[in-house]
Amino acid sequence: MKKFINKVDDVLVESLSGFALAHSDLVSLNLDPNFITRKQKATNKVAIISGGGSGHEPLHAGYIGYGMLDAACPGHVFTSPTPDQMLAAAEAVHAEKGILFIIKNYAGDVMNFEMAAEILPFESATVLTSDDCAVVNSTYTTGRRGVAGTVIVEKCVGSLAETGADLQACKTLGDKVNQRTSSIGVALTSCTVPAAGRPTFDISENELEMGVGIHGEPGRRRETMREADAIVQDMVQAILEDFAAKNLATPNTEALLLVNGLGATPLMELYLIYNAAARLFSEHGIKITRSLVGNYTTALDMAGTSLTLCLLDDEIKQHWDSPVHAAALRWGM
Amino acid sequence: MKKFINKVDDVLVESLSGFALAHSDLVSLNLDPNFITRKQKATNKVAIISGGGSGHEPLHAGYIGYGMLDAACPGHVFTSPTPDQMLAAAEAVHAEKGILFIIKNYAGDVMNFEMAAEILPFESATVLTSDDCAVVNSTYTTGRRGVAGTVIVEKCVGSLAETGADLQACKTLGDKVNQRTSSIGVALTSCTVPAAGRPTFDISENELEMGVGIHGEPGRRRETMREADAIVQDMVQAILEDFAAKNLATPNTEALLLVNGLGATPLMELYLIYNAAARLFSEHGIKITRSLVGNYTTALDMAGTSLTLCLLDDEIKQHWDSPVHAAALRWGM
Amino acid sequence: MNSSFIVTATTAIQNTILQHESELESLDRAIGDGDHYINMKRGAQTIVEMQQELATLAPDVALNKIGMKLLSTIGGASGPLLASFFMGMAKIIKEKGDTSTATYASAFSAGVDTIRQRGKADIGEKTMLDVLIPVATQFTAMAAQNASPKEISTALKKTAEQGMLSTKDLIATKGRAAGLGERAIGHIDPGAKSCQLMIEAVCNLIE
Amino acid sequence: MNSSFIVTATTAIQNTILQHESELESLDRAIGDGDHYINMKRGAQTIVEMQQELATLAPDVALNKIGMKLLSTIGGASGPLLASFFMGMAKIIKEKGDTSTATYASAFSAGVDTIRQRGKADIGEKTMLDVLIPVATQFTAMAAQNASPKEISTALKKTAEQGMLSTKDLIATKGRAAGLGERAIGHIDPGAKSCQLMIEAVCNLIE
Ligand SMILES: Nc1ncnc2c1ncn2[C@@H]1O[C@H](COP(=O)(O)OP(=O)(O)O)[C@@H](O)[C@H]1O
Ligand SMILES: Nc1ncnc2c1ncn2[C@@H]1O[C@H](COP(=O)(O)OP(=O)(O)O)[C@@H](O)[C@H]1O
Ligand SMILES: [Mg+2]
Ligand SMILES: [Mg+2]
Ligand SMILES: [Mg+2]
Ligand SMILES: [Mg+2]
């Protein structure tokens, strides 16, 4: 393992400190329990809190700021944060209209946030993101993971919350965006958790993992490495089938296409993937009118990518386009 | 070599096409000769054109847009673009006040742009960036490379050009920013040029290359891998010595710190590096008041980082802070 | 069970976790995200650091404290589940107020039930419950039959082992491995393994 | 030299470049950025594709066309330098208008001078000029002494080889290797190597 780190146990705190320092105009960091909030506490709005294991940067702390999150609770690398973090964060950002938790659907995250919510002295609601369509033949929503689509949910719900909308309205929009969003990832290499010191999985020079999770969880299948177009074709197919299974018609719809890097994939390749994916989706009658290409939900140092398609409607479009000012997403201000 | 590509010869055009498609609100792409311009041609201003070998994305095309570049000429991977590209780009974006070329100081780039400038039917000037202080004991400026500091030069000059400043003023500011900027890079792994199909250099699991170039050129020395703090300490030292050699006093100055990822380094590590670097610089009396952390000038899939320090003055600060709207840098609008 | 037993048990648990580092790591690497060992190590470490304080507390208070501490230390899926176990157990011991084997058996069962509720899972889903549920059932039955501590511990170790091994051939329907379908087959569930190890370590103290 | 010789030479040059792929690649990987072979291959390929057209042109026009095409095809440092060479050469051939060996020698020298001006470099800086300058000097001298084409080509191959080898012990002061200081010692300059190969290939046609 070759990483820019000092002691393995200090990675998280040192990285969080660097983040807070680099963005001291935007955020404040609290250590022990660890949580990050907006520098300027918002007032009279639903407070949006997200969180999860670390190692997916810029998720979630990079999305704290006007128009998006109020706070984020970073766990250890790939490990859900704990209820005390969520309670302290909620205490810090609560602004009279309740707390909305946006949680990626993993058993650990769900249970920890649930336990926090149960003892929270404020009204709260939860949006569970579950956009990863890698997992097929499973009737258990527990098996469906939240991945890069979470960024779109956080952006849209964050936008709505700024308007003063109430908790239920924020939750409803979040659930809708999640429902209309589907993702799939592919890995060329494993990631290496600092504390583990070696790659999470072995993968040879001519293999890829189709449907990989953002923690290096195995996906649909191990496949032979092939041309980008062929890989992207399968990913697009998986997403289209997922929308069909959800009974969401895709032809003649507008969509947002997010081509996400998992950490070690060069932007040059991400744009090449975007080129292939956008063409394939449009061949299926989908009009890509919004795009995002870059490292938005990573898996440490994994070489890989994920595609996320979000079917737009006027409401989602409006909230996607509205101003945002976070460390990792900024426009309109 | 495991990359998301199709035919090696098509990588560049497919990637450029994806970029242009994903940012079709911002840029237009011309193929053969290859160049990218702003979607909305600017009027009555100095046109800022940059370019260089591809593989450093988002440099340069990602910086096209209001407040920064007017056009970029991408060469083959790690290979300077050719004069026909520059001439065509200049023709497309010239806006009555001449052309300013911003060029990273490599023999190939310098000569190709020079040949273009010689036959250009417009007035032109050139800013050569040479912020890489890795190369010591060299009295030849030819040996001093332009690296991530180029982003800062492009941002500031781009800002000034929007005000209607003339060619000479733009060049003067560019030269000043370059002079006040110093960078150094370090690699943990090599990059792999797609057409070469294998890593540019060999480096073992316990080594690092101190002072690496953004094309994988060897740096100051091969060293034993060690803790991030120790690596950053040496990088900071090199930068401080460079400013001393340039007779630029650093104590009690304000500065911009750019922690740049070379392509495969996770954001988590970049923030950890930022934390260490910011602390060390401030111990030397430098006040870091502006920051940028992320992949801004990459070397394909290299795991590594570079530090860039730019000594601010009121003029540079003003132009750094001014609105910019490019694919890879956006604020204030 | 008194507090000094709890203290001894925390050391035994830490030891067995540390001794099985590579096994626990490989299991979670194969069908999870590779952090289960790290999570368990972190949890055990924190509890061992509390030993001085734990020794001064009543058993139910100590167990509850352990649960609270695990909750804010482990994270992941195993954190709230193990925390639930200790808090569920503490509640029964406090209620019953005695130190009979039957009380411990019903406390253990209550702990397992709390996990079940928290995780909305049951036996056969390839989780730690495949170890814990059979052990709880047998513990309760043997306590009712007035079996000796020694007999009980010998039997529970075996049951735990069987439960752990049973996860090997299961498809996971809860937890991180739930996405794997057929690919999970052939791998033992990491949480099941660590629970089996902890049960074994504690049973070994009762000889 | 007529245009059919030029056409033959382009094929010979392409062949030698392709045959030395791994050597050229390793050299630029060691002290450059690893693309010199790719650049040269791309250049040679494009020129070979122009053969039909080149065959119909006067030598000076053909050489100038080659220069222009290389300029817009190769890029990097070698692109404008090699382009300058052909354009500089074309100019003299056009001016002199004859096909004497002396004219070719002075055209070659003019080509090398154009490289020198473009690259602001000279002999001893660990570049292609360490091959080209000695070859130009000798070519001119031998042409003045009315040496036979065969004698000249044999001598130039040897000089090119010596020049190429001489770069091994030099510190680079121009080009991408200029940053390496002592670390460049022990490595042959890739541009010197490809120039030596091209000179050898063309000389081999003159027997
Ligand atoms: N819903 C659940 N009910 C019971 N046990 C579960 C549940 N979900 C996960 N587990 C257990 O948790 C273990 C994984 O723990 P750990 O690796 O520490 O957390 P994470 O899966 O969040 O990385 C699994 O092996 C399984 O035994
Ligand atoms: N200023 C110069 N004058 C003469 N030759 C040069 C100069 N700079 C570089 N070269 C030659 O160019 C070669 C490198 O070419 P190439 O690898 O194609 O371009 P780049 O260095 O831009 O990647 C060097 O080996 C050297 O011989
Ligand atoms: Mg985990
Ligand atoms: Mg090059
Ligand atoms: Mg795990
Ligand atoms: Mg080169």
Side-chain angles (χ1 to χ4, degrees), chain C residues 76-149:
Chain C
S78 43
L81 293 173
L82 294 176
S84 298
F85 175 81
F86 287 101
M87 295 191 286
M89 210 175 160
K91 211 169 144 205
I92 297 297
I93 292 183
K94 184 173 180 187
E95 267 171 37
K96 303 241 164 157
D98 67 299
T99 58
S100 67
T101 303
T103 291
Y104 290 130
S106 87
F108 187 93
S109 291
V112 174
D113 265 348
T114 321
I115 291 186
R116 214 167 177 165
Q117 282 155 31
R118 178 54 64 198
K120 302 184 183 70
D122 214 321
I123 199 163
E125 304 208 70
K126 199 178 181 107
T127 71
M128 53 174 74
L129 287 171
D130 291 317
V131 168
L132 296 173
I133 293 175
V135 167
T137 309
Q138 187 172 33
F139 194 176
T140 309
M142 289 183 82
Q145 290 154 21
N146 288 317
S148 76

Side-chain angles (χ1 to χ4, degrees), chain B residues 32-34 76 80-85 87 112 115, chain D residues 42-43 46-47 50 65-76 79-80 83 87:
Chain B
D32 200 10
N34 299 343
H76 288 274
S80 162
T82 54
D84 55 318
Q85 295 174 258
L87 292 170
N112 281 284
M115 290 183 85
Chain D
R42 186 169 57 243
T46 322
I47 302 306
M50 293 167 65
K65 218 151 198 147
I66 290 175
M68 298 293 290
K69 192 70 186 180
L70 290 178
L71 186 60
S72 65
T73 305
I74 298 189
M87 295 190 285

Side-chain angles (χ1 to χ4, degrees), chain B residues 78 107-108 111, chain D residues 28 33 35-36 39 76-78 81 115 119-121 126-129 174-176 189-192:
Chain B
F78 290 179
M111 289 188 281
Chain D
D28 199 35
D33 58 351
D35 63 352
H36 185 62
N39 292 343
S78 43
L81 294 173
I115 290 185
K120 301 186 183 69
K126 199 176 182 110
T127 70
M128 54 175 73
L129 287 171
K174 285 282 150 51
R176 206 172 281 277
D189 175 65

Side-chain angles (χ1 to χ4, degrees), chain B:
Chain B
M1 174 182 62
K2 229 162 148 188
K3 288 181 185 288
F4 292 105
I5 57 173
N6 297 300
K7 293 204 197 63
V8 160
D9 286 342
D10 298 336
V11 172
L12 182 59
V13 166
E14 289 179 16
S15 180
L16 289 175
S17 302
F19 175 80
L21 207 55
H23 304 289
S24 57
D25 54 327
L26 270 178
V27 301
S28 300
L29 169 66
N30 186 85
L31 291 177
D32 200 10
N34 299 343
F35 64 90
I36 306 162
T37 63
R38 293 190 196 177
K39 187 91 179 180
Q40 283 304 116
K41 183 177 193 279
T43 51
N44 202 31
K45 72 180 273 290
V46 172
I48 317 285
I49 300 182
S50 191
S54 292
H56 307 301
E57 292 69 26
L59 198 74
H60 297 274
Y63 303 120
I64 295 173
Y66 180 87
M68 221 159 160
L69 303 181
D70 291 277
C73 303
H76 288 274
V77 172
F78 290 179
T79 300
S80 162
T82 54
D84 55 318
Q85 295 174 258
M86 299 146 196
L87 292 170
E91 189 66 56
V93 300
H94 180 248
E96 293 109 75
K97 303 193 75 163
I99 306 281
L100 185 72
F101 292 114
I102 300 182
I103 308 169
K104 301 190 296 305
N105 187 34
Y106 297 93
D109 296 80
V110 171
M111 289 188 281
N112 281 284
F113 274 97
E114 212 170 70
M115 290 183 85
E118 284 167 14
I119 40 177
L120 197 68
F122 315 115
E123 199 193 358
S124 76
T126 295
V127 172
L128 272 188
T129 65
S130 57
D131 52 309
D132 190 349
C133 73
V135 177
V136 273
N137 295 332
S138 169
T139 45
Y140 306 90
T141 32
T142 177
R144 194 156 163 141
R145 307 174 288 221
V147 288
T150 308
V151 177
I152 306 171
V153 173
E154 293 180 358
K155 170 69 182 80
C156 293
V157 173
S159 162
L160 178 60
E162 294 301 343
T163 68
D166 68 16
L167 190 58
Q168 186 51 49
C170 289
K171 174 174 166 51
T172 303
L173 176 64
D175 288 339
K176 178 172 89 171
V177 175
N178 178 58
Q179 172 68 6
R180 297 172 68 89
T181 300
S182 179
S183 303
I184 187 162
V186 59
L188 300 189
T189 69
S190 173
C191 47
T192 297
V193 175
R198 59 174 180 128
T200 302
F201 57 88
D202 295 321
I203 184 161
S204 78
E205 190 48 39
N206 65 347
E207 287 180 326
L208 61 85
E209 178 72 28
M210 178 57 73
V212 74
I214 55 171
H215 310 88
E217 301 99 324
R220 290 185 167 201
R221 53 185 176 270
R222 187 60 60 93
E223 297 178 348
T224 304
M225 183 62 191
R226 50 199 195 286
E227 286 196 344
D229 281 355
I231 299 170
V232 172
Q233 160 96 56
D234 287 356
M235 297 171 84
V236 165
Q237 199 56 45
I239 288 174
L240 292 174
E241 281 165 13
D242 189 48
F243 281 119
K246 284 185 189 176
N247 280 318
L248 279 167
T250 47
N252 302 315
T253 51
E254 260 187 78
L256 156 63
L257 174 57
L258 160 56
V259 174
N260 176 54
L262 291 177
T265 300
L267 204 46
M268 188 177 209
E269 294 176 39
L270 296 182
Y271 279 120
L272 187 148
I273 292 164
Y274 180 91
N275 192 48
R279 197 192 58 236
L280 286 166
F281 279 125
S282 74
E283 281 171 20
H284 284 89
I286 296 167
K287 240 189 109 195
I288 308 290
T289 60
R290 302 289 185 283
S291 303
L292 201 61
V293 182
N295 293 342
Y296 290 98
T297 302
T298 59
L300 292 170
D301 54 350
M302 187 185 283
T305 188
S306 66
L307 294 188
T308 298
L309 194 77
C310 171
L311 302 183
L312 300 170
D313 62 14
D314 287 343
E315 187 188 22
I316 300 176
K317 229 169 11 183
Q318 173 204 330
H319 290 299
W320 178 256
D321 290 343
S322 67
V324 59
H325 182 179
L329 212 62
R330 182 169 180 180
W331 53 72
M333 60 193 299

